[in-house]
């Protein structure tokens, strides 16, 4: 299947939130996430204020990346679109006009952590997630243009 990439719109928020919801549901260590409407409102604000892209297959959003200045606020790919270069392409869009990016990834999210390392990111810090009821550790990663 062919994947296309474009700038995200506020109207993509529900599709993006759905990708995150499904990821949360399939991730046994993840703390409970907000309901779809609350999550869609959260992503709508970011899609409107920050630089963001979506990946589409057959007209459906299958991935997205949100970048605020040099910080990746989120990069998610639907399960059926993973391991097809979608995440790499989205990250490459975020890197295109930056010399440095900062990314926070859950330590337990081994697949994402390995992905960012493959893409040239280095671990620079660790921080406990401060959400109520969470004991998850974030790893701060940094990408610097070679």
């Amino acid at each position: 299947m062919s994947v296309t990439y474009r700038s995200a719109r506020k109207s993509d928020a529900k599709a993006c939130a759905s990708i995150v919801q499904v990821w949360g549901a399939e991730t046994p260590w993840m703390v409970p996430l907000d309901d779809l409407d609350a999550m869609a409102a959260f992503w709508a604000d970011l899609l409107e204020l920050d630089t963001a892209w979506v990946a589409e297959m057959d007209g459906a959003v299958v991935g997205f990346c949100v970048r605020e200045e040099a910080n990746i606020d989120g990069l998610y790919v639907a399960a059926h679109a993973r391991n097809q270069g979608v995440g790499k392409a989205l990250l490459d869009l975020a890197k295109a006009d930056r010399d440095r990016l900062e990314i926070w990834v859950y330590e337990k999210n081994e697949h994402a952590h390995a992905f960012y390392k493959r893409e040239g990111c280095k671990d620079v810090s660790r921080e406990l997630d401060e959400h109520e009821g969470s004991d998850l550790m974030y790893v701060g990663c940094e990408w610097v243009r070679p």
Side-chain angles (χ1 to χ4, degrees):
M1 287 187 204
S2 177
V3 181
T4 57
Y5 301 88
R6 63 169 172 79
S7 293
R9 299 183 288 261
K10 190 174 183 174
S11 60
D12 295 317
K14 197 160 201 164
C16 294
S18 180
I19 291 170
V20 178
Q21 285 268 306
V22 170
W23 172 80
E26 70 186 18
T27 305
W29 50 262
M30 189 60 198
V31 297
L33 299 175
D34 290 337
D35 68 29
L36 184 60
D37 289 337
M39 190 171 281
F42 169 81
W43 288 110
D45 287 345
L46 291 182
L47 295 178
E48 185 175 51
L49 298 173
D50 297 341
T51 304
W53 304 267
V54 296
E56 292 182 315
M57 278 185 189
D58 298 325
V61 173
V62 296
F64 70 101
C65 179
V66 179
R67 185 194 72 207
E68 178 186 8
E69 297 298 325
N71 184 58
I72 299 294
D73 289 332
L75 193 163
Y76 291 88
V77 178
H80 69 279
R82 292 181 195 144
N83 301 310
Q84 298 179 45
V86 173
K88 179 180 178 4
L90 288 166
L91 185 60
D92 286 347
L93 287 167
K95 289 177 176 179
D97 62 348
R98 294 288 180 256
D99 290 328
R100 178 189 165 280
L101 289 175
E102 183 176 301
I103 302 140
W104 290 91
V105 61
Y106 286 117
E107 186 174 54
K108 288 185 175 185
N109 193 344
E110 295 171 359
H111 294 291
H113 197 198
F115 163 76
Y116 288 121
K117 283 186 172 189
R118 273 194 318 273
E119 294 305 311
C121 298
K122 306 288 185 219
D123 294 356
V124 293
S125 62
R126 290 191 169 353
E127 186 175 300
L128 189 63
D129 182 356
E130 295 182 5
H131 289 98
E132 186 176 329
S134 174
D135 64 351
L136 296 173
M137 183 65 68
Y138 280 119
V139 177
C141 303
E142 180 181 55
W143 171 81
V144 178
R145 185 174 302 285

